[in-house]
Amino acid sequence: MKKYQRLVQQIIDQIALGVWHPGDRLPSLREQVASSGMSLMTVSHAYQMLESQGVIVARPQSGYYVAPQPQARVPQPPEQIRRDEQVDINTYIFDVLQASTDASVVPFGSAFPDPRLFPLAQLNRSLANVSKYANAMSVIENLPPGNEALRHAIARRYAQQGVNVSPEEIVITAGALEALNLSLQAVTEPGDWVIVENPCFYGALQALERLRLKALSVATDAEEGIDLDALAQALNDYPVKACWLMTNAQNPLGFTLSPEKKQKLVALLSQHNVALIEDDVYSELYYGRDKPLPARAWDEQGITLHCSSFSKCLVAGFRIGWVAAGRHARRIQQLQLMSTLSTSSPMQMALVDYLATRRYDAHLRRLRRQLAERKQQAWQALRRHLPAEVRIHRSESGYFLWIELPPGLDAGELGEQALRHQISIAPGRMFSTSDTWHNFFRFNTSWAWGEREEQAAIRLAELIRQAISARTPLSA
Amino acid sequence: MKKYQRLVQQIIDQIALGVWHPGDRLPSLREQVASSGMSLMTVSHAYQMLESQGVIVARPQSGYYVAPQPQARVPQPPEQIRRDEQVDINTYIFDVLQASTDASVVPFGSAFPDPRLFPLAQLNRSLANVSKYANAMSVIENLPPGNEALRHAIARRYAQQGVNVSPEEIVITAGALEALNLSLQAVTEPGDWVIVENPCFYGALQALERLRLKALSVATDAEEGIDLDALAQALNDYPVKACWLMTNAQNPLGFTLSPEKKQKLVALLSQHNVALIEDDVYSELYYGRDKPLPARAWDEQGITLHCSSFSKCLVAGFRIGWVAAGRHARRIQQLQLMSTLSTSSPMQMALVDYLATRRYDAHLRRLRRQLAERKQQAWQALRRHLPAEVRIHRSESGYFLWIELPPGLDAGELGEQALRHQISIAPGRMFSTSDTWHNFFRFNTSWAWGEREEQAAIRLAELIRQAISARTPLSA
């Protein structure tokens, strides 16, 4: 347990013991530094965690207070397993996504990281290089399963983590989204049951809808991830064919599953012989020292189809992703040849060229630092402006915050109002077929925090305050 | 009717009248020139047509003879409408396609035109240009429906033909294959009936299999195209949702539907309110003077989803196609956002850059001339080497010949034997769920005819002769 975590636990224990009551003012940061002997950074980090967990609230120019009604952690969905015979979510998601392509909108709802964080000049140089040596036959060399050098480069990155993936089982795809969709199709038939997280990446719900699959949405905690007991229950009760989930920097919640939990997850699915479609697109966006392993690392039976891409960490526009598909590699190539035929040949070659420069790891280090800084900045600004009743769930990876409005408020309505002010957010209902998350929204922190963002945050705070006041008379 | 067509009809009439009997030697080319007053080219063209129709046979160093058993035109499938509740063809097609990616194989079975016919230097220059002005925001500008300048450029090419297509209804896709697949999915639900040609582009059968659709394969003639009476019957008898067919340079047969037939087709489908998924990927590869119109040109009710691409006429590796989807454009964008998200951004921009050079039309003129020459060369070589019983169906567009082995021979077996000699062909069973075309294969004529091709053709002829002798004792 790290120092700040000890302090977090200590204060939680003190509140439980009645040392501090709801509404009490806690020691200030400086007082706490003096009394604990910890650094300002450690104490500040601990207070942030407590705040993001809803244990304490910050009041600007005043200090930190024990939350008025100490809440439990993120409320669990009313049902641990939600069952949908038919998924029908797509039109809503489409409308929200369309809004985020408008350049005049402040894209807090966007799924993309700020592309200005990517090494454009070097990528363009690689593109220019490809234009020098692409020849008439390149198209054949880049057909499924994809460019051989690229598949080798990807296999070597797995090897760096000690994960053995053969270049032969890798299929290059149009981003992770195609990899995930082909993987799901490879292991299911229409009408099959598939397990997803609740909440989950909306792309999973869209894929289920598109492929006419039935959904079992399993309760997923903002810090601990999927409820393994509920998962086991679902596996026992239904003839499940696949489980699609994110193990690292989950979208939208942000958690990274612990190694123990990844191991248990794989063991459980192996036991039921259920395919694990592991969506690992944020694997490079950890803030800690070491890159977290994929669940695939614990897979001894070959149940995992591990999907990732370069879109979130290097370049989105190239549309290059992959799946390490194990024994399903051939079937996935077949499905690809049937639907998009192949991934663009110059794009694959440009990536090979870029990776050969050996600048990728330096770029990733810089990117991670920038994303961490920007998340901290956005978090501070939001904490400053948003009403104290709004809880901000924060994770140490990726570029999302998961923001919880007071119960009864609707993030979907807030989103519609915000859009009239040229601000987008990603409402919780995009990420679930249940209404559990209607007062949540996902907030993209990857943008440089400038005057435009500051003003947008202030406007968002105003809208939330208005919604709270509009609600109060009714509930009073 | 053109001059050579008059001569063709004249000789057919003479044979019907008994002027010439089966086995009779016809006037030589020179004699015919002298007697008819037509040019050598016209007479030669007429004789080629008669030969490709199986009316006459050429015997090297001897002359032209009336076919021993004057055959009807391409035999119709035993059933005019074939019905498949479930399409299951993919594994076979996949195996054949895999073979054609091996560079050591002579690719007579390939679906691609020779990429050396494409303007590589200019495309690479466009790629290099894009590397100079691609910026961080390009990825957003190229999201579905796709790059605006590209959609405008495509709309202007429709306009040149007098076909009104709005840039707003165009969606840029990963080649025509994605356009066709998304179109089919946009207008159907699993279990729906869809009409395809028999034989048809295997991608249509794969799409039906992938989307769990039921197939009605309607008899299609090598020169006249789909049997409209059978089509009308199918529309009357089944609740058909869509009809996927090729109107220009059909794959594998090669015919281009006449304007009258296109008009009737559209009228018939409109009357039943059935979507027309028009696969028009070879539209630029006509040999005649004018580019043939798509069926879409006669569509007044908006039933057509017109799909095409740059892959067969400019560059295959970029993977850029489109659909002019009319009122289905929004649904297709949704389906694209769900499955591949978007087409590669630099690839779209490179095409915009290339099209702005205004060299495209000059390239297409050169390409058409080269393809016509190469088809003529391949045809001559095959005619020289293949046994007289083998009929070669030839069309004046694209780069395929449709080759008919004597009844009882199996082109699939021939394909397997040929592959052992590093030669690929595309057997007829790839193009149909019925066994009607088992003695046919598709032959790609786009390759420069050199020693390698000549030797491969000789080897193919040997294998066919062996198959004929192996068969004879059994049937005797």
Side-chain angles (χ1 to χ4, degrees):
Chain A
M1 194 182 267
K2 292 183 184 160
K3 272 190 196 169
Y4 80 88
Q5 287 173 323
R6 277 209 303 274
L7 182 56
V8 165
Q9 197 53 54
Q10 189 185 316
I11 293 173
I12 288 174
D13 292 347
Q14 289 169 354
I15 293 170
L17 286 168
V19 177
W20 310 105
H21 294 110
D24 278 357
R25 186 178 171 282
L26 281 183
S28 72
L29 292 177
R30 287 182 189 287
E31 286 162 356
Q32 192 70 258
V33 166
S35 68
S36 68
M38 291 175 180
S39 73
L40 180 61
M41 188 177 227
T42 305
V43 172
S44 162
H45 198 167
Y47 274 43
Q48 283 171 18
M49 285 302 293
L50 285 165
E51 200 185 350
S52 76
Q53 291 176 20
V55 177
I56 67 175
V57 291
R59 297 198 188 133
Q61 273 91 47
S62 171
Y64 291 91
Y65 293 80
V66 179
Q69 304 155 307
Q71 295 169 329
R73 297 153 52 80
V74 182
Q76 288 300 328
E79 30 179 19
Q80 294 298 297
I81 304 169
R82 182 186 162 83
R83 185 192 137 110
D84 286 287
E85 298 268 348
Q86 198 182 339
V87 179
D88 181 14
I89 193 167
N90 185 53
T91 308
Y92 180 70
I93 293 171
F94 183 66
D95 292 343
V96 175
L97 291 181
Q98 282 298 81
S100 72
T101 64
D102 179 345
S104 67
V105 168
V106 184
F108 293 149
S110 169
F112 296 106
D114 183 351
R116 284 161 292 219
L117 294 170
F118 293 157
L120 180 69
Q122 283 153 31
L123 290 163
N124 276 341
R125 206 169 307 136
S126 289
L127 208 54
N129 286 343
V130 167
S131 76
K132 288 173 202 146
Y133 54 70
N135 64 55
M137 289 305 145
S138 305
V139 56
I140 306 287
E141 291 154 19
N142 291 288
L143 284 175
N147 185 289
E148 199 179 339
L150 184 56
R151 288 184 290 117
H152 272 90
I154 292 167
R156 279 193 295 274
R157 293 194 69 81
Y158 281 108
Q160 279 171 21
Q161 279 199 290
V163 182
N164 284 344
V165 168
S166 156
E168 302 306 311
E169 59 166 301
I170 293 174
V171 183
I172 306 297
T173 56
L177 195 59
E178 189 185 28
L180 290 159
N181 272 277
L182 296 179
S183 296
L184 187 59
Q185 190 169 11
V187 300
T188 60
E189 303 281 324
D192 281 346
W193 287 103
V194 174
I195 288 173
V196 294
E197 295 158 301
N198 186 13
C200 69
F201 166 47
Y202 49 78
L205 299 173
Q206 292 178 310
L208 296 185
E209 179 175 343
R210 202 174 60 87
L211 298 172
R212 320 283 165 157
L213 296 163
K214 297 175 189 161
L216 295 169
S217 300
V218 172
T220 297
D221 179 84
E223 275 151 48
E224 301 297 329
I226 196 161
D227 180 331
L228 285 184
D229 292 336
L231 178 66
Q233 188 72 48
L235 291 169
N236 276 325
D237 294 351
Y238 293 87
V240 173
K241 286 294 170 53
C243 174
W244 170 332
L245 48 70
M246 300 190 71
T247 45
N248 299 313
Q250 196 253 16
N251 177 7
L253 298 177
F255 67 80
T256 289
L257 285 186
S258 68
E260 297 71 30
K261 196 145 180 187
K262 284 171 180 159
Q263 190 170 9
K264 280 185 193 159
L265 172 74
V266 170
L268 196 54
L269 295 174
S270 296
Q271 190 187 318
H272 290 266
N273 197 26
V274 166
L276 170 59
I277 297 169
E278 185 173 17
D279 175 0
D280 203 7
V281 292
Y282 300 106
S283 60
E284 298 286 2
L285 305 185
Y286 56 96
Y287 297 173
R289 209 182 51 182
D290 294 318
K291 179 171 167 179
L293 284 167
R296 150 99 196 202
W298 285 273
D299 180 9
E300 286 166 3
Q301 287 182 31
I303 60 160
T304 309
L305 297 97
H306 184 257
C307 303
S308 191
S309 83
F310 296 99
S311 302
K312 301 293 195 286
C313 53
L314 180 65
V315 56
F318 282 21
R319 306 298 309 129
I320 302 287
W322 72 87
V323 50
R327 64 175 182 271
H328 301 288
R330 188 180 145 88
R331 175 74 184 139
I332 284 174
Q333 287 177 61
Q334 289 180 357
L335 290 170
Q336 189 178 33
L337 279 166
M338 281 198 270
S339 52
T340 59
L341 187 60
S342 160
T343 310
S344 149
S345 163
M347 296 293 86
Q348 295 186 61
M349 294 167 75
L351 263 182
V352 171
D353 187 279
Y354 173 80
L355 293 175
T357 64
R358 301 178 177 279
R359 290 161 177 264
Y360 188 35
D361 283 308
H363 155 69
L364 288 175
R365 280 191 295 275
R366 194 172 48 245
L367 175 66
R368 286 192 280 265
R369 201 181 57 239
Q370 287 174 311
L371 287 179
E373 285 168 7
R374 289 185 174 188
K375 187 183 268 194
Q376 170 68 5
Q377 232 174 343
W379 184 84
Q380 283 175 333
L382 289 173
R383 205 51 293 174
R384 208 156 49 231
H385 300 306
L386 297 186
E389 304 97 299
V390 176
R391 292 176 61 188
I392 306 179
H393 301 275
R394 169 178 171 169
S395 62
E396 299 304 304
S397 63
Y399 47 89
F400 294 130
L401 294 171
W402 182 237
I403 299 183
E404 180 179 0
L405 300 173
L409 259 60
D410 187 316
E413 283 172 27
L414 176 67
E416 283 170 32
Q417 287 164 1
L419 208 50
R420 281 185 222 120
H421 297 276
Q422 310 286 86
I423 303 163
S424 75
I425 59 171
R429 69 175 65 179
M430 292 174 76
F431 305 95
S432 175
T433 60
S434 71
D435 54 9
T436 315
W437 312 100
H438 277 198
N439 59 322
F440 288 76
F441 64 94
R442 191 189 67 184
F443 187 98
N444 183 321
T445 63
S446 72
W447 317 97
W449 198 269
E451 191 50 29
R452 178 171 116 127
E453 288 70 23
E454 183 75 9
Q455 289 308 320
I458 290 171
R459 176 57 55 124
L460 207 54
E462 275 170 25
L463 293 173
I464 292 171
R465 281 206 182 81
Q466 284 166 17
I468 292 174
S469 348
R471 186 200 50 165
T472 313
L474 288 173
S475 58
Chain B
M1 194 182 267
K2 291 182 186 161
K3 272 190 195 167
Y4 80 89
Q5 287 173 321
R6 277 210 301 275
L7 183 55
V8 165
Q9 199 52 55
Q10 187 185 317
I11 292 173
I12 287 174
D13 292 346
Q14 289 170 353
I15 293 170
L17 286 168
V19 177
W20 310 104
H21 294 111
D24 278 357
R25 187 178 169 281
L26 281 182
S28 72
L29 292 177
R30 288 185 189 286
E31 288 162 355
Q32 191 70 258
V33 167
S35 69
S36 68
M38 292 174 178
S39 72
L40 179 59
M41 188 178 226
T42 304
V43 173
S44 163
H45 199 166
Y47 274 42
Q48 284 171 16
M49 285 302 293
L50 286 165
E51 201 185 349
S52 77
Q53 291 176 18
V55 177
I56 66 175
V57 292
R59 296 195 190 134
Q61 273 91 45
S62 172
Y64 291 91
Y65 293 79
V66 178
Q69 302 157 308
Q71 294 170 332
R73 299 154 53 79
V74 183
Q76 289 299 328
E79 29 179 20
Q80 294 297 299
I81 303 169
R82 183 187 160 83
R83 185 192 139 109
D84 286 286
E85 298 267 347
Q86 199 181 338
V87 180
D88 180 15
I89 193 167
N90 185 52
T91 308
Y92 179 71
I93 292 171
F94 183 65
D95 292 342
V96 175
L97 291 181
Q98 282 298 82
S100 72
T101 64
D102 179 345
S104 66
V105 168
V106 184
F108 293 150
S110 169
F112 296 106
D114 183 350
R116 285 161 290 217
L117 294 171
F118 293 157
L120 181 70
Q122 283 153 30
L123 290 163
N124 276 342
R125 205 167 307 137
S126 290
L127 209 55
N129 287 342
V130 168
S131 76
K132 288 173 202 145
Y133 55 69
N135 64 55
M137 289 307 144
S138 304
V139 57
I140 306 286
E141 292 153 18
N142 291 287
L143 284 175
N147 185 289
E148 199 179 340
L150 184 55
R151 288 184 289 116
H152 272 90
I154 292 167
R156 279 194 296 271
R157 293 194 68 81
Y158 280 109
Q160 279 171 22
Q161 279 200 290
V163 182
N164 284 344
V165 167
S166 155
E168 303 307 311
E169 59 165 301
I170 294 174
V171 183
I172 306 297
T173 56
L177 195 58
E178 188 185 29
L180 290 159
N181 272 277
L182 295 179
S183 295
L184 186 60
Q185 190 169 11
V187 300
T188 60
E189 302 281 323
D192 282 346
W193 288 103
V194 175
I195 288 173
V196 294
E197 295 157 300
N198 187 11
C200 69
F201 166 47
Y202 49 77
L205 298 173
Q206 291 178 310
L208 296 185
E209 179 175 344
R210 200 173 62 87
L211 298 171
R212 321 282 165 158
L213 296 162
K214 297 176 190 161
L216 295 169
S217 301
V218 173
T220 298
D221 179 84
E223 276 152 48
E224 302 296 330
I226 196 160
D227 180 331
L228 286 184
D229 293 335
L231 177 68
Q233 188 72 48
L235 291 168
N236 276 325
D237 294 352
Y238 293 87
V240 173
K241 286 294 170 55
C243 174
W244 170 332
L245 48 70
M246 300 189 72
T247 46
N248 298 314
Q250 197 253 17
N251 177 6
L253 297 177
F255 66 81
T256 290
L257 285 186
S258 68
E260 297 70 30
K261 197 144 181 189
K262 284 171 181 160
Q263 190 171 9
K264 280 184 193 159
L265 172 74
V266 169
L268 196 53
L269 294 174
S270 296
Q271 189 188 320
H272 290 267
N273 198 24
V274 166
L276 171 59
I277 298 169
E278 185 174 18
D279 176 0
D280 204 7
V281 293
Y282 301 104
S283 60
E284 299 287 2
L285 305 185
Y286 56 96
Y287 297 173
R289 209 182 51 182
D290 294 318
K291 180 170 167 179
L293 284 166
R296 151 99 196 202
W298 286 273
D299 180 9
E300 286 166 4
Q301 287 181 32
I303 59 160
T304 308
L305 298 97
H306 184 258
C307 303
S308 191
S309 83
F310 296 99
S311 302
K312 300 294 194 286
C313 53
L314 180 65
V315 55
F318 282 20
R319 306 298 309 130
I320 302 287
W322 72 88
V323 50
R327 65 175 182 271
H328 301 288
R330 188 181 145 89
R331 175 73 184 140
I332 284 174
Q333 287 177 62
Q334 289 180 358
L335 290 170
Q336 189 178 33
L337 279 165
M338 282 198 268
S339 52
T340 59
L341 187 61
S342 160
T343 309
S344 149
S345 163
M347 295 293 87
Q348 295 185 61
M349 294 167 75
L351 262 182
V352 171
D353 187 279
Y354 173 80
L355 293 175
T357 64
R358 301 180 178 278
R359 289 160 178 264
Y360 187 37
D361 283 308
H363 155 69
L364 288 175
R365 280 192 295 274
R366 195 173 47 246
L367 175 66
R368 287 192 280 265
R369 201 182 56 239
Q370 287 173 311
L371 287 178
E373 285 167 7
R374 289 184 174 189
K375 186 182 269 193
Q376 170 68 4
Q377 232 174 342
W379 185 84
Q380 284 175 333
L382 289 173
R383 206 52 294 175
R384 206 156 49 231
H385 300 305
L386 297 186
E389 304 97 299
V390 176
R391 292 175 60 188
I392 307 179
H393 301 274
R394 170 179 171 169
S395 62
E396 299 303 304
S397 62
Y399 47 89
F400 294 132
L401 294 171
W402 183 237
I403 299 183
E404 180 180 0
L405 300 172
L409 260 61
D410 186 316
E413 284 172 26
L414 176 66
E416 284 169 31
Q417 287 165 0
L419 208 50
R420 281 184 222 119
H421 297 276
Q422 310 285 86
I423 304 163
S424 76
I425 60 171
R429 68 175 65 178
M430 292 175 77
F431 306 95
S432 175
T433 59
S434 70
D435 54 8
T436 315
W437 312 99
H438 277 198
N439 60 320
F440 288 75
F441 65 94
R442 191 190 66 184
F443 187 100
N444 184 321
T445 63
S446 72
W447 317 97
W449 198 269
E451 192 50 28
R452 179 172 116 127
E453 287 69 24
E454 183 74 10
Q455 289 308 319
I458 290 171
R459 176 57 56 125
L460 207 54
E462 275 170 24
L463 292 173
I464 293 171
R465 280 205 183 80
Q466 284 166 18
I468 292 175
S469 346
R471 185 201 51 164
T472 311
L474 289 172
S475 58

